[in-house]
Amino acid sequence: MATVTCPNCGSSVDADRWICPRCFSNLTSAPTALVATVRPATPVQEAPAPRATGVCPRDWCGETYPAGATTCPRCAQPVPPLDVLATSLGVSAVRMLLPDGGTVGIRPYAIVVLGRESPDARIADSLVAYDGVSRLHAELAVRDTDVTLADSESTNGTWVDGRKVSLDPVPLEPGQHQVRLGQAALVVIDVIAGGSR
C-alpha cells in the first residue's frame, strides 16, 4: 500500500486517506511535493509515556513525577534521592534490582505490582521473558516504616529469602532480601529504613 507523509506531524499515512489519523490534519490541503512523497509503509512507533513513580514530598505540591526525574514537574524543586527522602521523613523506601540488571526506586507510600503486566513498564519489561511469572504475581507495599510483600495468587508462588509467601503480607526488615517469583525470576529488594542510613 502506498503512503504519504503528513505535512503537519510527519507520520506515514495510507495514500487513500484524506485525514491524518494521528493529528487529524486535512491531507488534501498539503503542498503537492509533500503529498506526492510515496514510500513503503513503516509502522509508526510512539515513545511510551513515562510512568509516574513517585509523588513530590512537599505537602503543598503532591505532583506525581516520571521515572528518572530529578525535579518535580509542578514546583520545579529537586526530587531527593531515596535514602535522603526516607531519612528526612523518617519512613521507609525500597530499591529493587531486577533480573535484567535494571534498578527501580520505590518511594514511600507506594504499592508496586511485580509481574509480567506490572503497571511499571521497567518491571514488566524485566519479567516478561519468564514464563513462570504470573501477569500480576506479587504486591510490594511501602507505608511509613513498614514494607510488606504479598503473593497475588500467582500460579508458581513467591519466596522471600527461601520462605514461601502467602496472600498475607510478609514484613520486610531493613536490608537486602532475595525475592524469587516462580522458579527462575530473582529480584533483590533493598529496604531502606528512615533514619538508618
Side-chain angles (χ1 to χ4, degrees):
M1 175 67 129
T3 60
V4 295
T5 302
C6 174
N8 189 38
C9 69
S11 62
S12 182
V13 181
D14 291 342
D16 61 345
R17 291 212 166 195
W18 293 73
I19 305 266
C20 174
R22 184 172 179 199
C23 68
F24 303 107
S25 295
N26 184 348
L27 297 177
T28 58
S29 63
T32 310
L34 289 175
V35 172
T37 306
V38 177
R39 58 182 167 180
T42 55
V44 176
Q45 293 184 354
E46 307 237 352
R51 304 208 183 236
T53 58
V55 177
C56 182
R58 288 152 195 86
D59 291 335
W60 57 269
C61 180
E63 180 73 20
T64 57
Y65 51 84
T70 55
T71 59
C72 173
R74 180 176 179 201
C75 67
Q77 295 297 313
V79 174
L82 278 177
D83 354 20
V84 173
L85 181 64
T87 303
S88 66
L89 295 177
V91 295
S92 294
V94 170
R95 187 177 293 115
M96 278 194 304
L97 177 62
L98 299 170
D100 66 358
T103 58
V104 174
I106 303 168
R107 296 185 177 264
Y109 313 109
I111 297 176
V112 176
V113 174
L114 303 177
R116 291 182 291 117
E117 292 185 9
S118 171
D120 187 317
R122 296 167 298 168
I123 295 171
D125 291 346
S126 180
L127 297 174
V128 74
Y130 295 92
D131 293 336
V133 176
S134 297
R135 293 178 301 114
L136 307 174
H137 198 101
E139 187 175 270
L140 181 72
V142 183
R143 297 183 186 93
D144 292 329
T145 56
D146 299 328
V147 177
T148 59
L149 181 73
D151 187 75
S152 297
E153 296 182 337
S154 65
T155 305
N156 295 310
T158 304
W159 287 263
V160 174
D161 299 327
R163 294 179 323 222
K164 187 162 184 166
V165 176
S166 66
L167 294 175
D168 297 325
V170 172
L172 300 179
E173 298 298 322
Q176 285 194 351
H177 301 277
Q178 290 191 349
V179 176
R180 189 162 47 90
L181 307 173
Q183 302 303 317
L186 182 68
V187 177
V188 177
I189 294 180
D190 184 18
V191 176
I192 304 163
S196 69
R197 292 184 184 185

